[in-house]
Amino acid sequence: GLAGTPAKHVVRNIDPATRSVSVDEYPDANVADDVSGRGPCEATYVLAAILSHVHDPSSKAPKGGHLIAHARTGPTDWHLFNDFRVSRSSASEAVHFDKVWRTPCIMYYERVGLEGVVPVPAYVSPITEEAFFTPNAYGRDPHAKNFGFVPLERGQIPGSGSSVAIDAEFVSLGAEETEIRSDGTRVIVNPAHFSLGRVSVLHALDPNGATAPNTGTAFVDDFIVTPDPISDYLTQFSGIEAQDLDPRTSTKHINSLKAVYLKLRLLLDRGVVFLGHGLKKDFRIINIFVPPEQVIDTVELFSIQRQRKISLRFLAAILLDLDVQIETHDSIEDARTAWLLYQKYLELQAHGTFQETLQRIYHIGRLHNWKFEAGHMHDLYLELHRTQTPTETEEGVYYDPAMPDKGESSETRAEGEGEKVGEVNLQQTVFSG
């Protein structure tokens, strides 16, 4: 019999091409003694998922390896679920087994034709509020005052309609490896490999869209300990130093990747809106999908189509008169700055001056090559408020007639996309999860 149904089955045909099984399905438990008068009906089951054990002799796991799952997500689409990493796969890869390293444990089939007939139970997340209250694996007390955040109490977890500000920093597990071919072209042999190093989450708006006494206060600031060897802490861009992620020496609130992921996933499942700057990259690092309606990204709000993206530091200087990221990055500071930029965005929209202000920002940015000296952010702030509105060309590029500027093409590298790793190439990367 096939698992999950009360009926018995007699196999008619197995089609390796479609990975389906056609059977005679009997409604009664005993095929040989079917006295119900209801004969068998033909049914087709298709392979929908496979759970496999991957053998790894170097693994410290009890069984010398771990479990992975392949799931069919479309007529011809398959995805691989390997711990926290989710990647596209294929049907041929899903059914390729090798007794040396991969053994199938469960093969799950679905009956064809029952879509819309058999009710699908409502999704209930297995992640509960205990994600925020489970004892820390490294013995850290989140209520300790030196950690710089205020942990949530029961009943305080943000829910649907609330928004939080978030920022992530990461470390490098391996630099990009390239080679030069005989024709002079540069080829990436092994992409850069990054791992999540720190995540900070701050209170923003309540469900009514209003600020609260704790707005701008961090309730998560976790430094993630990874078992993989770290080749570069990217301290200049992440603010993370070697001792911060070492359980023996760290004075930070260190945590495991799984514990951090469960917190973020709980907020996601509860309908919380995430606010930040350059979140697309951060979510890739965290390896979590957030629906667009639950994302407010200031790098997109303050942008003109086909123009470069603007860094958080430049926007903070010219709009908020703040000098951030002076020597390094701090995820709490960056998340709070993104929140303040969103407040400024709402203010400009309410006054009907957002588009005009954005045009001025791009104009000033090009004049200064999108750079300014530390301590001189006030000059940019003053310049924004005294600059005349630049004109618009037929191509939609804004410039000052007195200083010709053809703007930048859509191929110009976006400042802010890669600002955390300087010259590290993020177009070809592998993120650890």
Side-chain angles (χ1 to χ4, degrees), residues 26-86:
Y26 290 80
D28 295 296
N30 193 331
V31 177
D33 188 25
D34 180 21
V35 296
S36 65
R38 295 177 296 167
C41 62
E42 183 178 355
T44 300
Y45 288 79
V46 295
L47 184 63
I50 303 173
L51 183 68
S52 309
H53 178 266
V54 174
H55 179 65
D56 180 3
S58 65
S59 173
K60 297 181 180 180
K63 296 185 180 299
H66 63 282
L67 295 176
I68 63 172
H70 285 85
R72 182 168 57 86
T73 54
T76 59
D77 298 328
W78 285 77
H79 278 75
L80 167 65
F81 295 81
N82 186 359
D83 197 17
F84 288 106
R85 180 176 298 168
V86 181

Side-chain angles (χ1 to χ4, degrees), residues 140 197-198 223-225 233 235 238-247 249-255:
R140 296 299 197 268
R198 181 185 181 186
F223 288 72
I224 293 81
V225 176
Y233 288 86
T235 304
S238 69
I240 299 173
E241 298 182 352
Q243 62 267 25
D244 294 336
L245 304 186
D246 187 340
T249 60
S250 179
T251 59
K252 310 297 184 181
H253 188 264
I254 56 176
N255 216 334

Side-chain angles (χ1 to χ4, degrees), residues 403-424:
M403 299 192 68
D405 186 328
K406 295 183 179 181
E408 300 181 40
S409 70
S410 59
E411 297 179 354
T412 302
R413 184 187 69 81
E415 184 173 2
E417 292 188 8
E419 60 179 21
K420 294 183 180 179
V421 293
E423 297 302 320
V424 176

Side-chain angles (χ1 to χ4, degrees), residues 174-179 187-193 428-430:
E176 176 183 275
E177 297 180 14
T178 63
E179 65 179 23
V187 179
I188 297 176
V189 179
N190 288 315
H193 194 178
Q428 295 287 336
T429 57
V430 176

